[in-house]
mmCIF file with all atom_site columns, all heavy atoms in Angstrom:
data_model
loop_
_atom_site.group_PDB
_atom_site.id
_atom_site.type_symbol
_atom_site.label_atom_id
_atom_site.label_alt_id
_atom_site.label_comp_id
_atom_site.label_asym_id
_atom_site.label_entity_id
_atom_site.label_seq_id
_atom_site.pdbx_PDB_ins_code
_atom_site.Cartn_x
_atom_site.Cartn_y
_atom_site.Cartn_z
_atom_site.occupancy
_atom_site.B_iso_or_equiv
_atom_site.pdbx_formal_charge
_atom_site.auth_seq_id
_atom_site.auth_comp_id
_atom_site.auth_asym_id
_atom_site.auth_atom_id
_atom_site.pdbx_PDB_model_num
ATOM 1  N N   . ALA T 1 193 ? -32.101 27.120 3.799  1.00 0.00 ? 263 ALA T N   1
ATOM 2  C CA  . ALA T 1 193 ? -31.987 27.942 5.005  1.00 0.00 ? 263 ALA T CA  1
ATOM 3  C C   . ALA T 1 193 ? -31.701 29.370 4.572  1.00 0.00 ? 263 ALA T C   1
ATOM 4  O O   . ALA T 1 193 ? -30.844 29.601 3.714  1.00 0.00 ? 263 ALA T O   1
ATOM 5  C CB  . ALA T 1 193 ? -30.857 27.424 5.886  1.00 0.00 ? 263 ALA T CB  1
ATOM 6  N N   . SER T 1 194 ? -32.415 30.313 5.121  1.00 0.00 ? 264 SER T N   1
ATOM 7  C CA  . SER T 1 194 ? -32.210 31.708 4.730  1.00 0.00 ? 264 SER T CA  1
ATOM 8  C C   . SER T 1 194 ? -32.675 32.639 5.831  1.00 0.00 ? 264 SER T C   1
ATOM 9  O O   . SER T 1 194 ? -33.660 32.369 6.513  1.00 0.00 ? 264 SER T O   1
ATOM 10 C CB  . SER T 1 194 ? -32.970 31.999 3.434  1.00 0.00 ? 264 SER T CB  1
ATOM 11 O OG  . SER T 1 194 ? -32.866 33.368 3.131  1.00 0.00 ? 264 SER T OG  1
ATOM 12 N N   . HIS T 1 195 ? -31.927 33.736 6.039  1.00 0.00 ? 265 HIS T N   1
ATOM 13 C CA  . HIS T 1 195 ? -32.396 34.730 7.000  1.00 0.00 ? 265 HIS T CA  1
ATOM 14 C C   . HIS T 1 195 ? -33.072 35.879 6.252  1.00 0.00 ? 265 HIS T C   1
ATOM 15 O O   . HIS T 1 195 ? -33.544 36.825 6.839  1.00 0.00 ? 265 HIS T O   1
ATOM 16 C CB  . HIS T 1 195 ? -31.238 35.240 7.845  1.00 0.00 ? 265 HIS T CB  1
ATOM 17 C CG  . HIS T 1 195 ? -30.220 35.971 7.031  1.00 0.00 ? 265 HIS T CG  1
ATOM 18 N ND1 . HIS T 1 195 ? -29.160 35.338 6.446  1.00 0.00 ? 265 HIS T ND1 1
ATOM 19 C CD2 . HIS T 1 195 ? -30.127 37.274 6.690  1.00 0.00 ? 265 HIS T CD2 1
ATOM 20 C CE1 . HIS T 1 195 ? -28.439 36.226 5.783  1.00 0.00 ? 265 HIS T CE1 1
ATOM 21 N NE2 . HIS T 1 195 ? -29.006 37.411 5.906  1.00 0.00 ? 265 HIS T NE2 1
ATOM 22 N N   . ASP T 1 196 ? -33.110 35.734 4.918  1.00 0.00 ? 266 ASP T N   1
ATOM 23 C CA  . ASP T 1 196 ? -33.602 36.801 4.064  1.00 0.00 ? 266 ASP T CA  1
ATOM 24 C C   . ASP T 1 196 ? -35.116 36.682 3.916  1.00 0.00 ? 266 ASP T C   1
ATOM 25 O O   . ASP T 1 196 ? -35.628 35.850 3.183  1.00 0.00 ? 266 ASP T O   1
ATOM 26 C CB  . ASP T 1 196 ? -32.910 36.704 2.696  1.00 0.00 ? 266 ASP T CB  1
ATOM 27 C CG  . ASP T 1 196 ? -33.283 37.875 1.811  1.00 0.00 ? 266 ASP T CG  1
ATOM 28 O OD1 . ASP T 1 196 ? -34.103 38.711 2.247  1.00 0.00 ? 266 ASP T OD1 1
ATOM 29 O OD2 . ASP T 1 196 ? -32.759 37.927 0.685  1.00 0.00 ? 266 ASP T OD2 1
ATOM 30 N N   . ALA T 1 197 ? -35.855 37.542 4.639  1.00 0.00 ? 267 ALA T N   1
ATOM 31 C CA  . ALA T 1 197 ? -37.314 37.428 4.684  1.00 0.00 ? 267 ALA T CA  1
ATOM 32 C C   . ALA T 1 197 ? -37.959 37.682 3.328  1.00 0.00 ? 267 ALA T C   1
ATOM 33 O O   . ALA T 1 197 ? -38.980 37.078 3.000  1.00 0.00 ? 267 ALA T O   1
ATOM 34 C CB  . ALA T 1 197 ? -37.865 38.406 5.713  1.00 0.00 ? 267 ALA T CB  1
ATOM 35 N N   . SER T 1 198 ? -37.314 38.526 2.502  1.00 0.00 ? 268 SER T N   1
ATOM 36 C CA  . SER T 1 198 ? -37.962 38.908 1.248  1.00 0.00 ? 268 SER T CA  1
ATOM 37 C C   . SER T 1 198 ? -38.115 37.726 0.298  1.00 0.00 ? 268 SER T C   1
ATOM 38 O O   . SER T 1 198 ? -39.141 37.545 -0.338 1.00 0.00 ? 268 SER T O   1
ATOM 39 C CB  . SER T 1 198 ? -37.159 40.023 0.569  1.00 0.00 ? 268 SER T CB  1
ATOM 40 O OG  . SER T 1 198 ? -35.878 39.526 0.226  1.00 0.00 ? 268 SER T OG  1
ATOM 41 N N   . THR T 1 199 ? -37.074 36.880 0.206  1.00 0.00 ? 269 THR T N   1
ATOM 42 C CA  . THR T 1 199 ? -37.164 35.732 -0.698 1.00 0.00 ? 269 THR T CA  1
ATOM 43 C C   . THR T 1 199 ? -38.269 34.799 -0.265 1.00 0.00 ? 269 THR T C   1
ATOM 44 O O   . THR T 1 199 ? -38.933 34.182 -1.088 1.00 0.00 ? 269 THR T O   1
ATOM 45 C CB  . THR T 1 199 ? -35.833 34.944 -0.722 1.00 0.00 ? 269 THR T CB  1
ATOM 46 O OG1 . THR T 1 199 ? -35.410 34.734 0.611  1.00 0.00 ? 269 THR T OG1 1
ATOM 47 C CG2 . THR T 1 199 ? -34.765 35.671 -1.514 1.00 0.00 ? 269 THR T CG2 1
ATOM 48 N N   . ILE T 1 200 ? -38.437 34.687 1.052  1.00 0.00 ? 270 ILE T N   1
ATOM 49 C CA  . ILE T 1 200 ? -39.419 33.725 1.565  1.00 0.00 ? 270 ILE T CA  1
ATOM 50 C C   . ILE T 1 200 ? -40.839 34.233 1.356  1.00 0.00 ? 270 ILE T C   1
ATOM 51 O O   . ILE T 1 200 ? -41.706 33.490 0.907  1.00 0.00 ? 270 ILE T O   1
ATOM 52 C CB  . ILE T 1 200 ? -39.176 33.476 3.062  1.00 0.00 ? 270 ILE T CB  1
ATOM 53 C CG1 . ILE T 1 200 ? -37.767 32.937 3.256  1.00 0.00 ? 270 ILE T CG1 1
ATOM 54 C CG2 . ILE T 1 200 ? -40.202 32.532 3.628  1.00 0.00 ? 270 ILE T CG2 1
ATOM 55 C CD1 . ILE T 1 200 ? -37.267 33.051 4.656  1.00 0.00 ? 270 ILE T CD1 1
ATOM 56 N N   . ALA T 1 201 ? -41.021 35.496 1.640  1.00 0.00 ? 271 ALA T N   1
ATOM 57 C CA  . ALA T 1 201 ? -42.366 36.075 1.548  1.00 0.00 ? 271 ALA T CA  1
ATOM 58 C C   . ALA T 1 201 ? -42.950 35.880 0.165  1.00 0.00 ? 271 ALA T C   1
ATOM 59 O O   . ALA T 1 201 ? -44.138 35.600 0.005  1.00 0.00 ? 271 ALA T O   1
ATOM 60 C CB  . ALA T 1 201 ? -42.306 37.565 1.881  1.00 0.00 ? 271 ALA T CB  1
#
Side-chain angles (χ1 to χ4, degrees):
Chain T
S264 175
H265 64 270
D266 186 357
S268 64
T269 48
I270 301 162

